Amino acid sequence: GGGGGGGGGGASVEAERAALEAAGKYYKQGDGPQLEELEDAWVGYFLWGETEKGREIKCCFIGRDGYFETARVAIEMALTLAYDFKKLPFKGGVLTPTVSGQEHLVQRLIASGIKFKMGDWFPPSEHNPPPF
């Protein structure tokens, strides 16, 4: 048997928390790592889809660390709602930012510096955070 979640063989949640606390890397709500620790941190989404008729499509986004990108999406979505609301197909409801903001949000994210590629994935040599 593994540890705490449903996976097998991994450390338990308690053991992982203890290890993070011992290393000074366990952050409480409202806290987080120093910016210098996030210099080379990045998050990537590599998406692939296939239609029932076999047509494939790929795209990917690469951004800075998760803290930074969460703030980026929140800000760009707020700007999309403020300035592009009349162009959006949905005017209310419980929607994800992607469904709600559609291409207007994506264009804002790209303009703000996120790395985006349609039709393929970035090669491993480009798996790094975009500049500030």
Side-chain angles (χ1 to χ4, degrees):
S12 70
V13 172
E14 295 80 17
E16 190 162 335
R17 180 178 178 167
L20 288 169
E21 285 175 340
K25 303 259 184 206
Y26 184 80
Y27 304 107
K28 295 179 178 153
Q29 185 175 347
D31 291 338
Q34 297 296 314
L35 287 177
E36 297 79 29
E37 293 179 42
L38 301 174
E39 236 358 84
D40 62 350
W42 60 277
V43 61
Y45 299 94
F46 297 80
L47 310 169
W48 172 83
E50 182 178 4
T51 67
E52 290 179 2
K53 295 183 179 181
R55 182 169 178 257
E56 295 183 2
I57 188 78
K58 289 181 180 178
C59 76
C60 65
F61 292 85
I62 295 179
R64 297 208 63 86
D65 66 275
Y67 292 97
F68 187 92
E69 293 309 330
T70 298
R72 183 195 313 253
V73 171
I75 290 166
E76 297 302 338
M77 188 65 219
L79 292 169
T80 300
L81 290 171
Y83 295 106
D84 300 319
F85 186 77
K86 291 181 181 177
K87 302 175 198 170
L88 300 177
F90 302 105
K91 305 301 184 212
V94 180
L95 306 168
T96 65
T98 304
V99 171
S100 178
Q102 300 196 357
E103 70 271 5
H104 307 287
L105 173 60
V106 172
Q107 291 303 323
R108 288 184 180 281
L109 291 170
I110 293 168
S112 74
I114 203 164
K115 292 165 45 173
F116 174 77
K117 189 170 193 173
M118 189 71 192
D120 205 353
W121 294 330
F122 287 106
S125 63
E126 297 182 45
H127 292 181
N128 49 49
F132 279 114

